[in-house]
Each structure stands twice: as C-alpha cells, then as structure tokens.
Amino acid sequence: MQKTAKIDFFTVAVPEGSGTDLETLLRKLHSEPADSRKRNVEINDDWIRLARGKLDDHGYLGDMMRISMAPAGFRANLAGEVKVVDLTQDEGMADCSAFYYDFESSILVLQRNSKGATSRQLASYFKQVADLDGEIEIKPILRPTDLMKVKTLPVIRKIHVSSMIIDEMIGIETVDANTKQAIQAAAQAESPAIELVMKSAREKGASLNAAVISEILESWLKIHDGFSDEENEIVKKILVTGKDEAGTTVEFDMLKDRVFSVMSYQWVPDDRELWKVRADHIQKTWDLHKGDLKRTLEDFAKAAEDAE
C-alpha cells in the first residue's frame, strides 16, 4: 500500500530561564534504554514516547510514538464476521511520526500523521519530561511573504477565522487570553463551530491593534497545527486583509502559505523497515530545505528588528 504524508516545519522555543533546551532534553532521552518507561509521558488517553533515534553533533533524527489506550474497536473479514481487537491492559494501538531537530537553528521537521503525535503533543511531552512551569512553543514556519508582511502591515483592516470547536481545544493553555475566551464561550453555548471576524473602524487609516492581532493569529495557527491532520482540518480559514506601505489592499491566507513538503512511501508490515524509510525521507527533506528555511528565519528576524 502506498502512503503519502505531509512534512511540516516549525521553530521550537523553550521558556527563557528554564535552564535547558530541546537539544539537552533529546540527548537525555536518547541516553535512556529503548524500553525505559522514562521515555513515556501520558497525555489525555494517549502515551507519547520517544521510540528511537539517531544522534549526531548537528541534530537529532527520531521517531515519536503515540500509543492510544482507547478501546481498539473491532476487526472483521469480508464474510462479515466481527471480532473485538483484544489487547492487554498495558497495550494500545501505536503510530509513529518521524522528525528531525536541528540544534543550531531550533528548526523541527515533523511528519504529519493523523494518528501519530502532533506538534501540540510534542510541546506537552517535552514540557513534562523537563518538568517546566512555562510552555514550550512550537510554531509553524510560514513563507516570508505572509507572516512578516502581516506583522509589518501599517494598516490591518480585517481578520476572519473559521474553525470547528472540539473538546480538546477548551483547556488549551498555549493561546492568548482573547482566543481562549472565545473558544470557551463557543463551547459553553454548545456551538460546534466558531466564526471570528474583526474589522477596523471605517475612518481613513484606521487599523486593528497589530500586537493583539498578531497574538490571535499565532494562537489560531497553533490550534491548527495541534489538532488538524491530513484528514481533518479543524481550523478552516485564517484570512488577513489590510493595506501595505503603498496603500494597496492586500489579503493573506495564513493556512495556504505554510511551508511544507510531501513524502510518499510503501507501507510494509515491518515497524523497523518503515522507520528506516520514513527517517530517510525526513533527513533528505531537511538536507534539501535547510538553506531556505534558515534564510526565512533570518529574514523574519531582520524584518522584526526593522519594524521596531
């Protein structure tokens, strides 16, 4: 069976003053025996664990396993015979997401897997492993033509966010207060979805507050990365409309402008063989895109400095 998966790119930031970083955490986890329970972290009804990895001086190529402890369900044959999938008490259904973390740039390359560990779960996993008080931020890398320009737009006229509401979103801690309040209000109203539209005043030159809008956009991008996969897009739309330095009206689709790649591989009933294939794709993707990704972050940092 041929499988296709997207590969996403993120930046990782560990809270300042925490006394550690992701490189240190990965090195520590890697030193634990492969069957060590110190590699396990419970998140809701799942266990997340670092299944395996390869360490060198430049980065870490690994495989993050998500073990679902929810009832496994049933299996059936073409004659219609149905049997329960019988698992022991400490067993669950497992799926893996290959990743690469570059020590120098703090860029994370992650295989997107509908049943594997999400970027949100990885952030929670490493936070619990390090016993941190603050949140680890894993943010998607956007193309230079969108996020940088949105943050430096002299006039922001409108933002439009459309999203489903799911139970797991209600207690999320890594979003701004305004977004959290909106999600909680929608949940309390028993609404299955939310449509958020903010518009500036009609006066010439009027604009939405850029700092507040930036927090809201980053929050909804986190929600998109944390809960969406290749099969289910929880956040349907994030649009920004404004005027550039020349006074021209511009619009940015924040979801379409994410940087990503795609890998295709043959599924085989061999976990170790699948790891080799997926790891090879992740490593080659990093080698191919690392120059552009690092330049994108450098350009973004320069634009942020110029804006100040």
Side-chain angles (χ1 to χ4, degrees), residues 206-221:
S207 174
L208 295 169
N209 184 296
V212 173
I213 295 303
S214 178
E215 286 186 346
I216 292 173
L217 293 176
E218 289 188 358
S219 292
W220 282 105
L221 284 168

Side-chain angles (χ1 to χ4, degrees), residues 44 66 112-114 118-121 163-175 183 219-235:
N44 298 324
R66 177 179 178 179
R112 198 188 303 184
N113 181 348
S114 61
T118 65
S119 61
R120 180 180 63 89
Q121 288 177 319
S163 175
M164 296 171 60
I165 298 294
I166 58 176
D167 292 341
E168 290 85 347
M169 290 167 58
I170 299 171
I172 189 170
E173 297 292 338
T174 57
V175 299
I183 291 171
S219 292
W220 282 105
L221 284 168
K222 287 179 184 177
I223 292 170
H224 174 73
D225 287 303
F227 298 103
S228 298
D229 52 54
E230 67 266 26
E231 297 176 359
N232 302 292
E233 294 291 341
I234 302 301
V235 181

Side-chain angles (χ1 to χ4, degrees), residues 50-55 60-64 96-100 111 263 265-266 268 270-282:
L50 180 64
R52 55 210 147 198
K54 300 176 182 178
L55 176 68
Y60 191 82
L61 179 64
D63 212 19
M64 197 63 72
C96 291
S97 300
F99 71 93
Y100 180 82
Q111 172 194 352
M263 68 175 175
Y265 59 95
Q266 188 73 26
V268 293
D270 186 324
D271 177 57
R272 293 183 180 276
E273 190 61 32
L274 282 175
W275 153 242
K276 292 178 183 178
V277 173
R278 292 181 296 105
D280 185 58
H281 276 287
I282 292 292

Side-chain angles (χ1 to χ4, degrees), residues 136-151:
I136 293 179
E137 291 195 338
I138 299 182
K139 298 181 181 181
I141 297 178
L142 303 183
R143 301 187 190 283
T145 54
D146 50 75
L147 186 58
M148 286 190 297
K149 287 191 175 181
V150 167
K151 286 196 171 188

Side-chain angles (χ1 to χ4, degrees), residues 107-133:
I107 292 176
L108 172 69
V109 185
L110 177 64
Q111 172 194 352
R112 198 188 303 184
N113 181 348
S114 61
K115 297 179 181 178
T118 65
S119 61
R120 180 180 63 89
Q121 288 177 319
L122 259 63
S124 179
Y125 175 84
F126 289 119
K127 174 187 175 180
Q128 293 187 54
V129 166
D131 193 23
L132 300 176
D133 292 328

Side-chain angles (χ1 to χ4, degrees), residues 14-170:
V14 176
E16 292 185 10
S18 61
T20 190
D21 54 28
L22 193 54
E23 177 184 349
T24 302
L25 295 177
L26 286 168
R27 288 183 181 276
K28 180 181 177 181
L29 285 165
H30 184 76
S31 68
E32 297 289 348
D35 60 353
S36 172
R37 295 198 174 226
K38 291 182 179 180
R39 290 174 174 242
N40 298 346
V41 170
E42 186 176 12
I43 302 176
N44 298 324
D45 291 330
D46 299 328
W47 284 92
I48 309 297
R49 78 184 321 268
L50 180 64
R52 55 210 147 198
K54 300 176 182 178
L55 176 68
D56 62 29
D57 293 337
H58 305 289
Y60 191 82
L61 179 64
D63 212 19
M64 197 63 72
M65 181 182 292
R66 177 179 178 179
I67 307 171
S68 174
M69 306 307 288
F74 300 91
R75 58 189 176 92
N77 61 26
L78 296 181
E81 295 175 348
V82 179
K83 294 181 180 180
V84 69
V85 177
D86 192 17
L87 301 174
T88 63
Q89 190 174 0
D90 69 341
E91 287 182 327
M93 303 302 290
D95 267 275
C96 291
S97 300
F99 71 93
Y100 180 82
Y101 180 69
D102 180 61
F103 298 152
E104 179 188 18
S105 64
S106 299
I107 292 176
L108 172 69
V109 185
L110 177 64
Q111 172 194 352
R112 198 188 303 184
N113 181 348
S114 61
K115 297 179 181 178
T118 65
S119 61
R120 180 180 63 89
Q121 288 177 319
L122 259 63
S124 179
Y125 175 84
F126 289 119
K127 174 187 175 180
Q128 293 187 54
V129 166
D131 193 23
L132 300 176
D133 292 328
E135 302 294 332
I136 293 179
E137 291 195 338
I138 299 182
K139 298 181 181 181
I141 297 178
L142 303 183
R143 301 187 190 283
T145 54
D146 50 75
L147 186 58
M148 286 190 297
K149 287 191 175 181
V150 167
K151 286 196 171 188
T152 58
L153 278 178
V155 174
I156 301 176
R157 287 292 195 187
K158 175 183 174 182
I159 69 165
H160 184 181
V161 177
S162 178
S163 175
M164 296 171 60
I165 298 294
I166 58 176
D167 292 341
E168 290 85 347
M169 290 167 58
I170 299 171

